[in-house]
């Protein structure tokens, strides 16, 4: 596509920029999704799209619950430009939304981590690199030095020696936020149907499909085969892709205990976030251990099909700890209005993954930047529609949230809490 495209008759004289053309073609995240589905091999698209369980109901629940949240706008404010800036962990970000951690973006589009880092750095928005991503923390920190965060999966070997070494690497790179995630391995039917297991070995069907995706193959030639780039030093000397993947399958996974979270708090000198919180009592434990933030997340519906929608537990968690820690939200976000909904219910910042993946698949390396601009524009417009000047003012608006959870007070300390004390 050329950078300048002639306007059709009736639009008047002049030209439309590539940005204007893309906005017209992809006015919603779902438009990007549909385009990505046509350009990306099914194993890559299904890896991003899929959720846990036979019906992937938790993915749908995230969306349905977000759509059910209503906000009452206020009027009487003179014309103004709304600010999307937020203060988080001692830094100012230009946007209240960032890129959530995702393993192997290269499955959607080879070299995707570079595109994420560049887009986030340019937009001054948070970018969370997953420890299972296909790019090493050192290289990503050079590419996005002002905005990079790091997510850590548990590696129990040698009393968490590998985890603490990874954390030290992040410290050495100047990373400001470390997030601790707590997934267990789960069943994702789409990945099983595509034989997308660790270590991955393409079958004949996959090879035939790749022949029908020349743009993806060209990106693969340039970006290289997706791999777990943060683990080779722990596997051996010059390990193969299969050896690294086998190590990840065998060693990585499981939930951090509260005692282990405390150990990370004692050693980690920067902001610390616990990701995957869905209960206010767990948020309270985390804050009592000194974490700086809690991320309300059900892992995009990819872990436990019977879990509540993230947005439905957000208000209770924000009421519990929002005055003492930053409450971060992710789960089903597809528009600027979704970001506004989360903020009105207590979130200080929102992260999302699939929209940036869809942008990557639809538009290649320029896709994440397009999605950043998409959210910036929609968030600013939604702020003005709601009658507020800043992101923080959203918490003053009246909301209706029919699916919100109400938690009863615990009658006794859970064993995990007692162990952490």
């Amino acid at each position: 596509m050329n950078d300048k495209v002639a306007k059709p008759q009736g639009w008047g004289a002049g030209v439309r920029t590539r940005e204007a053309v893309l906005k017209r073609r992809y006015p919603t995240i779902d438009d990007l999704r549909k385009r990505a589905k046509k350009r990306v091999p099914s194993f890559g698209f299904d890896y991003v799209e899929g959720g846990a369980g036979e019906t992937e109901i938790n993915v749908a629940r995230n969306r349905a619950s977000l759509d059910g949240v209503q906000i009452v706008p206020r009027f009487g404010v003179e014309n103004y430009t709304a600010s999307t800036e937020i203060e988080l962990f001692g830094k100012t970000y230009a946007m209240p939304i960032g890129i959530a951690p995702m393993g192997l973006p290269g499955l959607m589009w080879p070299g995707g981590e570079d595109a994420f880092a560049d887009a986030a750095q340019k937009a001054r928005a948070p970018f969370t690199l997953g420890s299972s991503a296909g790019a090493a923390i050192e290289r990503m920190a050079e590419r996005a030095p002002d905005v990079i965060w790091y997510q850590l999966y548990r590696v129990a070997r040698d009393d968490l020696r590998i985890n603490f070494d990874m954390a030290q690497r992040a410290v050495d790179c100047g990373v400001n936020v470390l997030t601790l995630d707590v997934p267990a391995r789960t069943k994702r039917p789409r990945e099983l149907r595509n034989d997308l297991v660790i270590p991955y070995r393409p079958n004949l069907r996959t090879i035939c499909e790749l022949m029908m995706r020349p743009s993806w193959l060209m990106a693969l030639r340039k970006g290289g085969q997706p791999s777990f780039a943060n683990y080779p030093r722990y596997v051996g000397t010059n390990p193969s892709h299969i050896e690294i993947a086998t190590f990840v399958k065998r060693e990585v996974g499981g939930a951090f205990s509260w005692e282990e979270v405390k150990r990370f708090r004692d050693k980690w000198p920067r902001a610390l976030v616990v990701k995957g919180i869905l209960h206010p009592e767990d948020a309270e434990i985390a804050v009592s251990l000194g974490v700086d933030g809690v991320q309300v997340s059900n892992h995009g519906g990819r872990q436990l099909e019977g879990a509540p929608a993230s947005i439905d537990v957000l208000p209770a968690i924000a009421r519990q700890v929002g005055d003492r820690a930053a409450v971060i939200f992710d789960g089903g976000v597809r528009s600027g209005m979704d970001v506004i909904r989360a903020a009105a219910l207590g979130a200080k910042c929102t992260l999302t993954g699939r929209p940036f993946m869809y942008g990557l698949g639809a538009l290649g390396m320029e896709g994440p930047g397009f999605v950043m601009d998409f959210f910036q524009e929609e968030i600013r417009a939604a702020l003005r529609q709601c009658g507020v000047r800043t992101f923080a003012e959203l918490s003053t608006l009246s909301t209706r949230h029919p699916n919100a959870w109400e938690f009863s007070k615990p009658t006794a300390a859970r064993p995990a809490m007692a162990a952490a004390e």
Side-chain angles (χ1 to χ4, degrees):
M1 185 184 298
N2 297 325
D3 285 342
K4 300 291 184 180
V5 180
K7 288 183 179 180
Q9 294 295 322
W11 283 64
V15 295
R16 284 191 290 145
T17 64
R18 176 170 173 78
E19 179 184 5
V21 171
L22 292 179
K23 286 182 178 181
R24 182 178 176 85
R25 290 184 177 178
Y26 309 108
T28 70
I29 294 299
D30 193 56
D31 292 310
L32 291 171
R33 175 190 167 277
K34 292 174 182 176
R35 176 62 174 161
K37 188 175 183 179
K38 295 179 179 179
R39 299 185 75 217
V40 176
S42 61
F43 65 82
F45 184 84
D46 283 349
Y47 170 73
V48 171
E49 181 86 344
E54 180 178 358
T55 63
E56 301 176 332
I57 187 63
N58 204 210
V59 178
R61 186 179 295 128
N62 275 340
R63 278 297 329 141
S65 288
L66 270 168
D67 285 340
V69 176
Q70 302 171 48
I71 300 174
V72 181
R74 302 303 303 270
F75 298 99
V77 180
E78 70 278 7
N79 191 36
Y80 63 94
T81 299
S83 172
T84 61
E85 284 192 344
I86 59 168
E87 296 289 332
L88 194 63
F89 307 127
K91 295 193 67 173
T92 300
Y93 294 93
M95 296 175 61
I97 188 168
I99 301 175
M102 292 170 283
L104 297 180
L107 287 177
M108 181 61 100
W109 201 261
E113 290 88 354
D114 289 348
F116 288 160
D118 291 348
Q121 179 69 17
K122 181 179 179 180
R124 288 197 297 123
F127 161 48
T128 314
L129 180 71
S131 54
S132 294
I137 180 64
E138 291 81 4
R139 187 164 69 82
M140 289 295 97
E142 291 180 358
R143 205 155 189 134
D146 300 319
V147 297
I148 190 168
W149 300 3
Y150 190 56
Q151 174 212 34
L152 199 66
Y153 279 149
R154 187 174 185 269
V155 184
R157 176 190 284 193
D158 299 330
D159 195 29
L160 302 182
R161 178 188 63 82
I162 292 174
N163 281 150
F164 284 117
D165 185 70
M166 285 180 141
Q168 186 58 53
R169 290 166 62 187
V171 171
D172 294 342
C173 292
V175 172
N176 289 297
V177 177
L178 181 75
T179 68
L180 304 178
D181 214 348
V182 291
R185 296 195 184 280
T186 192
K187 180 179 179 180
R188 297 175 190 160
R190 294 197 198 205
E191 296 178 15
L192 295 175
R193 295 188 190 105
N194 286 302
D195 287 332
L196 191 60
V197 295
I198 299 174
Y200 182 59
R201 296 178 176 86
N203 55 34
L204 180 60
R205 180 173 64 87
T206 299
I207 294 172
C208 291
E209 185 181 6
L210 287 174
M211 295 300 104
M212 304 297 291
R213 301 290 190 273
S215 296
W216 195 93
L217 282 176
M218 289 178 63
L220 179 65
R221 182 178 180 182
K222 182 178 180 180
Q225 180 178 344
S227 64
F228 299 101
N230 285 295
Y231 291 102
R233 68 167 65 185
Y234 310 116
V235 180
T237 303
N238 297 321
S240 67
H241 286 300
I242 290 179
E243 288 173 328
I244 297 169
T246 300
F247 172 88
V248 170
K249 180 179 180 180
R250 184 181 66 245
E251 302 289 347
V252 178
F256 287 101
S257 70
W258 290 121
E259 187 275 331
E260 289 168 345
V261 171
K262 185 176 186 302
R263 289 171 63 190
F264 276 100
R265 174 70 286 173
D266 292 342
K267 289 179 177 292
W268 181 252
R270 303 175 188 271
L272 180 69
V273 173
V274 174
K275 179 178 179 287
I277 296 294
L278 292 174
H279 196 292
E281 183 181 339
D282 289 337
E284 182 63 42
I285 297 170
V287 172
S288 72
L289 297 178
V291 305
D292 303 283
V294 295
Q295 188 164 334
V296 180
S297 171
N298 62 18
H299 212 78
R302 293 168 63 82
Q303 292 302 124
L304 178 63
E305 58 188 305
S310 298
I311 196 71
D312 291 344
V313 298
L314 172 64
I317 292 173
R319 287 194 299 268
Q320 183 73 29
V321 301
D323 59 340
R324 291 170 287 150
V327 177
I328 301 169
F329 170 80
D330 82 66
V333 171
R334 294 292 183 276
S335 68
M337 192 65 232
D338 290 338
V339 178
I340 297 304
R341 287 173 167 129
L345 296 177
K348 191 167 185 180
C349 178
T350 294
L351 302 182
T352 188
R354 287 188 179 97
F356 289 101
M357 284 287 216
Y358 295 147
L360 187 64
L363 303 174
M365 300 299 280
E366 68 177 322
F370 176 81
V371 175
M372 283 289 184
D373 292 342
F374 167 91
F375 276 115
Q376 177 88 312
E377 185 176 293
E378 286 208 347
I379 291 168
R380 185 173 286 119
L383 287 171
R384 295 190 65 183
Q385 288 287 344
C386 288
V388 298
R389 293 183 177 86
T390 67
F391 197 66
E393 288 179 20
L394 288 166
S395 62
T396 66
L397 298 180
S398 299
T399 61
R400 173 178 286 179
H401 186 182
N403 293 332
W405 276 62
E406 295 294 336
F407 294 86
S408 59
K409 293 183 178 180
T411 57
R414 297 176 63 217
M417 180 185 291
E421 292 176 347

